[in-house]
Amino acid sequence: MVDRKSFLQVGHKGSLFSAFLYFDMSFMVWVLLGPLAVILANDFHLNAAEKANLVALPTLGGAVLRLVFGVLTDKIGPKRTGQIGLTLTLIPLFWGWQFADTMGDMYFVALMLGIAGASFAAALPLASSWYPPQYQGLAMGIAGAGNSGTIFATLFANRIAQHFGTWHVVFGFALIPIAVTLILFSILAKDSPNKPAPKKLAEYGRVLKQRDAWLFCIFYSVTFGGFVGMSTYLTIFFNTQYGLSPVRAADFTTLCVIGGSFFRPVGGWLADRLGGIRMLMVLYGVVGVMMAGISTLPALSVTIVLLFVAMMALGMGNGSVFQLVPQRFRAEVGVMTGIVGAAGGLGGYFLPKILGNLKLSTGSFTPGFLTLSVIAVLCIVIIAAVQGQWKRTWIGEGGKVSAGSKASMDTTLQA
């Protein structure tokens, strides 16, 4: 029985590693403008709303392109889609290195960096399709832990810019890991033979007619959107609120990002055992409390602790959401990761806009963080309202994989 084997005895290790590496390096590039925003704001004389808009544009581009990549993944497979994504990611990096001298150039680079954000729609199906239901949360969590690539951006981007005296060179350096990843991905990744057969485009529209698809979009727009939005905006927040230098502000952002990055697999692992529904209700509660605390704008040390816990909960929430998605939409997992991932990107786009615009209009970050707290609480209310119907139709207690789902997959794999 597959469910009695250890995680390491099933699946495809090369594909799982490739999915992680692809997502990790792509995520690094996707959020690159976040730590650089303080330096760019000084060069281009940007106000609070303009800074927020610049760092939000890559997430908007990623949200749109994830839908495209979701369709491509289902049509041509996650490996070929990933190769296309990595190749195209080289374009905005080269442009930012050699040609970006105006805000028009930077807006182009920002939107094109969304190609890296679309990696989600190929990386997760590549990992997911190799593993049975009871290991979905852990497999998706490991692949999704590639959001740790944010750490490389926040830790090194401003240091490189400061050392060389220009932010352009940061984009040039970023070309190297993307090129290496493309080579390794091409060698190690392999499409699963259990991948669902491609469907007609008209069938994808029918997925969006189902209420659950929209609910998962809401949940992920808060967890993943919250993580990526905070990752891109925290350097601006620390610089503006506490007067930190670009490098020091990015360092504190790194500390906060670590919480979300490395606890995502833990969220998936716990969701496998406790259930995704239980996990999400607890984690949204933690986020709501932490954001309310941050809204009081306490001392820097307190703010860092609150942000670390909030980011940890958001990262774990990402793993928990994707413990549920493959159970509900197994046959459409490729397109659903694109759709849900797009929603996460939209959440990451709106979060900096909320904080930046409210800061500009009120002069304080308090209303923005209070708004984020209320959003997290509303997610708890939604889950409480729908969990009864979910348990009666497709899911086990608390969001665990149901016995019927396990038996179905066991039979499929043994055949």
Side-chain angles (χ1 to χ4, degrees):
M1 296 291 289
V2 173
D3 60 342
R4 295 178 182 176
K5 295 180 180 178
S6 70
F7 177 77
L8 294 177
Q9 292 176 301
V10 297
H12 187 264
K13 299 180 185 63
S15 294
L16 184 61
F17 173 74
S18 297
F20 166 79
L21 183 64
Y22 171 33
F23 197 30
D24 194 57
M25 293 297 98
S26 294
F27 216 101
M28 175 192 72
V29 170
W30 194 27
V31 301
L32 196 57
L33 289 181
L36 289 175
V38 175
I39 298 174
L40 291 168
N42 290 332
D43 284 0
F44 294 107
H45 310 291
L46 307 180
N47 62 33
E50 290 169 335
K51 285 186 286 186
N53 187 54
L54 180 62
V55 300
L57 282 176
T59 56
L60 178 62
V64 175
L65 290 172
R66 282 180 178 193
L67 294 173
V68 178
F69 274 47
V71 174
L72 281 176
T73 295
D74 201 56
K75 292 291 185 182
I76 66 175
K79 178 172 181 175
R80 290 176 64 187
T81 302
Q83 289 172 318
I84 291 171
L86 285 165
T87 302
L88 292 178
T89 298
L90 298 172
I91 296 174
L93 294 178
F94 185 80
W95 195 274
W97 176 32
Q98 292 293 323
F99 304 114
D101 295 317
T102 67
M103 276 308 299
D105 293 327
M106 289 311 304
Y107 286 143
F108 169 76
V109 170
L111 282 172
M112 288 290 288
L113 288 177
I115 297 170
S119 61
F120 186 99
L124 292 194
L126 177 66
S128 171
S129 58
W130 281 102
Y131 291 87
Q134 60 268 37
Y135 297 122
Q136 286 287 326
L138 182 56
M140 298 284 257
I142 291 173
N147 56 28
S148 61
T150 306
I151 295 171
F152 297 112
T154 56
L155 197 58
F156 296 114
N158 287 343
R159 281 184 166 82
I160 292 173
Q162 186 179 69
H163 178 77
F164 288 93
T166 174
W167 49 265
H168 290 89
V169 73
V170 177
F171 293 94
F173 272 98
L175 286 165
I176 300 172
I178 293 297
V180 172
T181 299
L182 175 58
I183 295 171
L184 292 176
F185 186 88
S186 298
I187 295 172
L188 299 175
K190 181 180 179 181
D191 289 336
S192 170
N194 297 318
K195 185 178 70 72
K199 297 176 176 61
K200 297 179 180 179
L201 289 177
E203 296 182 64
Y204 296 120
R206 286 197 281 272
V207 173
L208 289 174
K209 294 180 181 179
Q210 302 184 53
R211 181 201 64 180
D212 290 350
W214 291 98
L215 292 179
F216 286 131
C217 286
I218 292 172
F219 300 149
Y220 205 65
S221 70
V222 176
T223 58
F224 182 79
F227 174 82
V228 70
M230 296 296 285
S231 298
T232 58
Y233 195 77
L234 281 181
T235 301
I236 296 173
F237 170 67
F238 285 131
N239 173 260
T240 304
Q241 181 64 32
Y242 297 101
L244 303 181
S245 68
V247 171
R248 190 165 174 79
D251 284 345
F252 282 120
T253 299
T254 303
L255 288 177
C256 298
V257 167
I258 287 173
S261 299
F262 291 102
F263 278 87
R264 175 167 179 150
V266 177
W269 180 78
L270 288 175
D272 284 336
R273 284 149 183 77
L274 303 179
I277 290 175
R278 291 193 182 105
M279 287 296 298
L280 285 176
M281 293 187 76
V282 171
L283 294 171
Y284 283 131
V286 172
V287 172
V289 172
M290 294 301 106
M291 291 300 174
I294 297 167
S295 72
T296 65
L297 303 177
L300 177 61
S301 57
V302 177
T303 297
I304 291 173
V305 172
L306 295 176
L307 281 169
F308 182 90
V309 175
M311 294 288 273
M312 179 179 68
L314 290 170
M316 293 175 70
N318 293 336
S320 298
V321 170
F322 270 95
Q323 185 263 351
L324 297 173
V325 171
Q327 296 183 61
R328 176 63 178 83
F329 295 98
R330 171 158 294 278
E332 307 93 353
V333 66
V335 70
M336 274 305 298
T337 53
I339 292 173
V340 175
L346 286 176
Y349 170 73
F350 284 114
L351 186 147
K353 300 281 283 184
I354 290 172
L355 294 177
N357 288 338
L358 287 177
K359 166 63 175 175
L360 185 64
S361 61
T362 67
S364 173
F365 284 112
T366 294
F369 283 107
L370 282 177
T371 299
L372 301 181
S373 177
V374 171
I375 292 173
V377 173
L378 288 176
C379 287
I380 298 176
V381 174
I382 294 173
I383 295 175
V386 302
Q387 64 174 329
Q389 188 269 334
W390 281 359
K391 291 175 184 176
R392 291 192 299 270
T393 54
W394 59 272
I395 204 169
E397 182 65 25
K400 295 181 181 179
V401 177
S402 65
S405 178
K406 287 183 181 180
S408 174
M409 179 54 69
D410 287 342
T411 301
T412 300
L413 291 178
Q414 289 169 0

